[in-house]
Amino acid sequence: MAFIILENIRKHYEIGDFLVLALDGIDLSIGKNEFVNIQGASGAGKTTLLNIMGSLDKPTSGKVLIDGINIATLTEESLSPWRAVNLGFVFQSFNLISTLTAEENVAIPALLWQENQDDVAKRVTELLDMVQMHERGDHLPMQLSAGEKQRIAIARALMNDPPLLIADEPTANLDAGTATMIIQIFKEIKESGDKTIIIASHDERMAQLATRNLFMNAGKLEEMGEDG
Ligand SMILES: Nc1ncnc2c1ncn2[C@@H]1O[C@H](COP(=O)(O)OP(=O)(O)OP(=O)(O)O)[C@@H](O)[C@H]1O
Ligand SMILES: [Mg+2]
């Protein structure tokens, strides 16, 4: 069975009398360890779709099955432990906690269930090495550049070694050199071969890294062919 199955997902937002149809009947099936990149114009619904696949938002109607579980039916209480084990999410705006250091931010996902502090510290060190931020572990987010914050956010998403990694425009608003570094990190994650990766990105290199490319247009999803 596919790892992720979306069935007729619709999402609309009501702002007074104004109705925005963000997702207009999405059907999608993603296999384990696929690397999916999603492109599409601003407002097409990419973030809405990623948030729903990551259990951060609920669809107006439709089913979201991840590893056989319909996450749309889980309560907020049972979602937290589910997320901690299953999901790493990289936000476009980083969402680091401003009062915690870089290494404390990376350790957050482990706080829920990892008892052994030595194991946590070891994993944090390993991840900071991977994103080349080992010298900045005790710095606060405000002392880091956008690209450095993004690398910390990626390390945090990987903390619990989740089977599913979702990233929303991880190279947007970064300079070319930093974007290249982020692409390289995703290449390494892909090569580790044990994650299902779903990214919204306009970066051609991300599209090339992906094993499957999708295109969103006004709340609908199209598969892109080999010739793009
Ligand atoms: N909280 C919200 N309330 C009302 N409308 C919303 C909300 N979030 C998103 N929308 C609307 O839903 C549609 C899809 O937005 P979404 O953020 O998913 O697009 P996107 O493809 O991620 O765009 P971008 O490339 O600019 O990030 C847009 O028309 C947007 O205005
Ligand atoms: Mg978006």
Side-chain angles (χ1 to χ4, degrees), residues 6-27:
L6 303 184
E7 269 178 35
N8 198 17
I9 296 291
R10 295 170 68 83
K11 175 75 178 182
H12 56 72
Y13 297 101
E14 277 169 56
I15 310 161
D17 292 340
F18 195 74
L19 196 74
V20 180
L21 187 58
L23 299 178
D24 186 11
I26 303 280
D27 289 294

Side-chain angles (χ1 to χ4, degrees), residues 144-176:
L144 304 174
S145 72
E148 289 162 353
K149 283 194 257 245
Q150 188 61 292
R151 278 140 69 194
I152 294 300
I154 293 170
R156 176 182 58 184
L158 295 173
M159 181 67 201
N160 287 345
D161 199 18
L164 174 59
L165 179 65
I166 299 178
D168 194 1
E169 315 227 8
T171 62
N173 309 317
L174 301 179
D175 67 84

Side-chain angles (χ1 to χ4, degrees), residues 43 45-48 92 168-169 200:
K46 303 179 297 296
T47 296
T48 306
Q92 186 178 342
D168 194 1
E169 315 227 8

Side-chain angles (χ1 to χ4, degrees), residues 85-102:
V85 172
N86 290 286
L87 174 71
F89 202 101
V90 179
F91 299 86
Q92 186 178 342
S93 50
F94 322 127
N95 286 10
L96 298 177
I97 295 179
S98 60
T99 52
L100 298 182
T101 65

